Amino acid sequence: MRKIQEEAPERLTAQGAVHDVIIIGAGFSGICAGYHLLKRGCSNFVILEQEDGVGGTWFKNRYPGAACDVPSHFYCFSFSPNPDWSHVYSPQPEIQAYLEKCVQDFNLATHIRLNTTVSSLTFDEDTGLWTVQAEEGQHSTLRAKHVVVGSGGLNTPSVPVFPGLDEFQGEAFHTANWQSDIPLADKNTVVIGSAASAVQAVPELAKVARKLTMFQRTPNYIIPRDDRAYLDKEREKFRHSPLKLRMQRFKFYLRFEYVLSPLFKKNSWIRNRIEKKVKRYIRQSINDPELAQKLVPTYELGCKRILISDDFFPALNRENVEVNTDGIDRIEKDAVIDGCGRRIEADVIVLATGFDLHKQMISIEMIGRNGVSLNARWEKEASAYKGCMVDGFPNVYFVTGPNTGVGSTSVVHMIEAQMHFIMQCIDLAADQKLIEPTNAAVQADNQKTQKDLENTVWAGSCHSWYKDENGRIHTLYPHAARRFRKERRRLRRQDFLITQRKKNRETADVT
Ligand code: NAP
């Protein structure tokens, strides 16, 4: 395996230092990339993070109740297991602290530039380098041989247009922009949205609100989370037995892989049985039969994300909580007017309305070979070879690109598999070469993925963020995690175009 050469810091070109790798985002993806580069002996890289701290989604999503919905022992790096998780599903502050500790443990802090927002990437044919424009208080231009895009998919809040929202005189904010200094006790709180974020926030908000009204547009399948605190003696065992710690992770991996994954196949008889059970569970959990009816989904289980919670239904049974399914007509200065003209007084509006994947995807202007814009290309259809690379955009790697969401595993597990693939590409191209998939390989990979997705429950008629506006699934991968990993274990050389970086004066300077 050839390694990227260490570069002396004084080797600067007229336009500044050339980094071997620029990583965008300091969440799970960026930290994972940094760890692997250092492990390979490459230290000439920088991680650009737009926020004021590391953690990515876990830095931003600090709403009350925020926690992972994959067991923590499986929602962490395999190369950095944590024996000290407090709960099966640990809360946001612990995940944030875990990621901060990873940065320390892996010696990544000096590589990270916070408050740095990347606006564009442009490929320079003459040098074979990428020019990265970033804002960090002032404008800066960086250059790199390789770029790893680890900025995630679910981080641009979606704020739908509600007439009158601008005139609302109370406080209104999105779950991903939580305003922890705003008092919520004894307030009339309106939550718009009823999916993953709302299901976690509502039980906490309901405890302190005078009245909480949750606007639900579509009901969700919600199953018990069965969360619990780990006992001291269990944590002690994990601390002293690396094998036990590994087995704990493996147990969850197997459960996701062999129990959850089959549910997503089209026409699964197991799913039909479970669907009936979940509907029964919802009816039994809600005191008011009329409300229960509104909470039972009418689409197939799994078509939208299956949610887990132990405290959401008990919260909906509270006296001070109401579920409104009449839609929102408009917002006035101190109230939300529903679709039936009812006035719901509001001091605070919490937008649990999810994320704008499309906006996120095109948030960085990327110009590849021959001046081609990736945004323009993805405007028609977002696709990439293994969800990671696009022809005409050499040495650029998306960690969570199109169709990389393995619906039945931990996203961290998926990121590690993708990183294995990315590191092989970086090793292969190293200093002197450019690597990109052939157009034929991108097309074939995409066609196969789309065809296989037809056999999944996600292709059903429900509306979900898994699909783009044309109904094409551009987020999810159609199979289980083991296949995702297998497909990324070794590079198929025939799928790639590997060319020599042109040697001109500037690149000769740095390579
Ligand atoms: P989401 O799943 O996209 O849900 C958004 C909610 O807002 C839905 O209930 C949606 O209704 C509603 N909504 C959107 N636009 C609306 C409008 N114009 N009027 C009324 N209602 C509207 O977003 P999310 O709950 O933030 O979750 C997004 C994803 O983030 C999850 O699927 C998950 O992958 C991730 N997440 C993970 C965790 C975790 O524990 N690890 C926690 C939170 C989120 P419809 O269903 O009708 O569209």
Side-chain angles (χ1 to χ4, degrees):
M1 183 175 67
R2 263 173 307 151
K3 288 181 180 164
I4 287 191
Q5 292 162 10
E6 281 283 340
E7 201 167 283
E10 65 271 18
R11 291 200 137 181
L12 304 178
T13 66
Q15 292 173 53
V18 176
H19 296 280
D20 285 337
V21 186
I22 286 180
I23 300 164
I24 303 174
F28 269 107
S29 296
I31 293 170
C32 186
Y35 166 84
H36 281 289
L37 288 173
L38 284 180
K39 211 171 126 199
R40 293 173 138 65
C42 169
S43 60
N44 180 21
F45 67 90
V46 63
I47 304 177
L48 308 178
E49 167 55 55
Q50 66 179 357
E51 297 298 329
D52 195 24
V54 302
T57 197
W58 296 103
F59 182 84
K60 290 188 77 171
N61 286 270
R62 293 153 177 258
Y63 55 83
C68 56
D69 57 6
V70 167
S72 292
H73 281 280
F74 190 32
Y75 197 85
C76 58
F77 294 122
S78 61
F79 48 83
S80 185
N82 174 19
D84 293 317
W85 292 118
S86 68
H87 285 72
V88 176
Y89 300 92
S90 295
Q92 176 272 338
E94 267 185 61
I95 306 169
Q96 173 69 20
Y98 167 80
L99 288 169
E100 285 168 6
K101 184 169 181 300
C102 286
V103 167
Q104 293 304 322
D105 292 350
F106 309 153
N107 295 316
L108 288 174
T110 53
H111 294 272
I112 297 174
R113 276 156 74 165
L114 300 175
N115 301 307
T116 304
T117 304
V118 173
S119 55
S120 72
L121 296 179
T122 310
F123 183 64
D124 181 344
E125 300 271 1
D126 289 338
T127 59
L129 297 173
W130 283 92
T131 301
V132 178
Q133 302 292 352
E135 301 293 333
E136 41 184 333
Q138 60 191 47
H139 187 84
S140 62
T141 302
L142 300 92
R143 296 191 307 151
K145 295 170 192 164
H146 300 267
V147 180
V148 176
V149 183
S151 44
L154 295 170
N155 61 19
T156 301
S158 164
V159 178
V161 179
F162 295 114
L165 181 58
D166 287 348
E167 275 98 67
F168 180 62
Q169 288 182 0
E171 303 286 353
F173 46 88
H174 192 275
T175 43
N177 286 322
W178 198 257
Q179 310 289 313
S180 44
D181 51 337
I182 292 173
L184 297 169
D186 208 29
K187 301 282 183 202
N188 289 317
T189 303
V190 167
V191 177
I192 304 178
S194 62
S197 300
V199 159
Q200 294 185 337
V202 162
E204 295 303 314
L205 299 176
K207 285 179 195 162
V208 298
R210 184 185 310 157
K211 171 141 195 246
L212 185 145
T213 306
M214 183 188 79
F215 276 88
Q216 172 191 278
R217 193 165 63 175
T218 315
N220 289 287
Y221 284 97
I222 302 173
I223 58 173
R225 184 157 84 144
D226 289 335
D227 192 20
R228 70 171 180 88
Y230 281 115
L231 304 172
D232 287 346
K233 65 177 183 196
E234 288 176 294
R235 287 204 295 269
E236 194 65 20
K237 271 190 201 152
F238 293 144
R239 243 174 259 139
H240 291 109
S241 168
L243 179 65
K244 279 212 167 66
L245 189 54
R246 261 211 308 277
M247 289 310 291
Q248 183 71 355
R249 181 185 180 91
F250 192 53
K251 186 181 85 183
F252 290 125
Y253 164 78
L254 290 179
R255 193 190 292 171
F256 274 72
E257 198 70 356
Y258 293 98
V259 180
L260 186 60
S261 183
L263 293 187
F264 298 123
K265 291 278 164 239
K266 204 174 187 172
N267 305 324
S268 147
W269 64 269
I270 314 178
R271 192 185 51 249
N272 290 340
R273 288 186 59 179
I274 296 178
E275 187 177 301
K276 283 190 188 123
K277 274 179 91 166
V278 180
K279 286 181 173 171
R280 203 176 317 129
Y281 165 72
I282 297 173
R283 286 196 194 95
Q284 285 167 354
S285 304
I286 295 293
N287 299 341
D288 172 6
E290 208 178 304
L291 172 60
Q293 200 49 38
K294 291 180 185 174
L295 295 169
V296 175
T298 50
Y299 53 86
E300 279 181 296
L301 172 82
C303 186
K304 284 163 92 79
R305 191 179 165 98
I306 301 170
L307 309 180
I308 56 168
S309 177
D310 297 329
D311 51 6
F312 182 63
F313 290 140
L316 300 191
N317 284 331
R318 290 175 68 111
E319 288 285 304
N320 67 335
V321 175
E322 189 184 333
V323 178
N324 188 314
T325 56
D326 294 328
I328 295 170
D329 179 65
R330 64 186 186 279
I331 294 175
E332 295 186 344
K333 66 179 176 26
D334 56 358
V336 177
I337 311 300
D338 76 10
C340 294
R342 239 182 88 213
R343 193 168 195 283
I344 293 109
E345 282 183 21
D347 303 311
V348 178
I349 297 177
V350 173
L351 296 153
T353 42
F355 299 89
D356 190 330
L357 273 87
H358 183 66
K359 228 187 208 170
Q360 170 66 21
M361 216 173 245
I362 59 166
S363 61
I364 300 175
E365 177 67 54
M366 276 189 215
I367 306 294
R369 286 191 194 278
N370 307 315
V372 170
S373 154
L374 186 63
N375 289 352
R377 188 164 153 180
W378 277 2
E379 195 72 51
K380 290 184 208 125
E381 184 177 284
S383 62
Y385 178 75
K386 306 293 173 215
C388 186
M389 297 176 78
V390 182
D391 53 297
F393 295 79
N395 297 16
V396 172
Y397 317 94
F398 297 89
V399 185
T400 55
N403 298 105
T404 53
V406 184
S408 57
T409 199
S410 160
V411 71
V412 186
H413 181 75
M414 183 282 277
I415 286 170
E416 285 193 41
Q418 195 75 326
M419 206 55 72
H420 178 75
F421 175 85
I422 292 171
M423 290 298 147
Q424 288 180 76
C425 294
I426 293 180
D427 285 345
L428 192 60
D431 270 336
Q432 308 290 345
K433 294 189 180 132
L434 297 170
I435 183 167
E436 62 195 289
T438 62
N439 179 265
V442 177
Q443 301 285 341
D445 195 48
N446 180 39
Q447 275 164 19
K448 174 94 179 67
T449 301
Q450 291 302 322
K451 187 161 187 322
D452 291 354
L453 279 165
E454 287 170 14
N455 287 320
T456 66
V457 67
W458 304 311
S461 57
C462 75
H463 160 85
S464 79
W465 61 260
Y466 299 157
K467 298 171 186 163
D468 65 16
E469 54 196 17
N470 302 317
R472 177 180 169 274
I473 300 172
H474 64 313
T475 49
L476 295 180
Y477 172 76
H479 305 287
R482 58 190 180 280
R483 179 146 166 194
F484 185 89
R485 273 177 51 190
K486 191 169 167 216
E487 288 176 358
R488 282 149 185 83
R489 201 165 286 150
R490 282 205 188 83
L491 300 186
R492 275 169 51 95
R493 294 288 278 268
Q494 63 269 38
D495 287 350
F496 292 94
L497 198 64
I498 300 171
T499 50
Q500 201 69 28
R501 190 193 298 279
K502 274 187 204 165
K503 276 222 165 197
N504 69 4
R505 198 176 52 76
E506 277 200 308
T507 45
D509 225 18
V510 297
T511 55

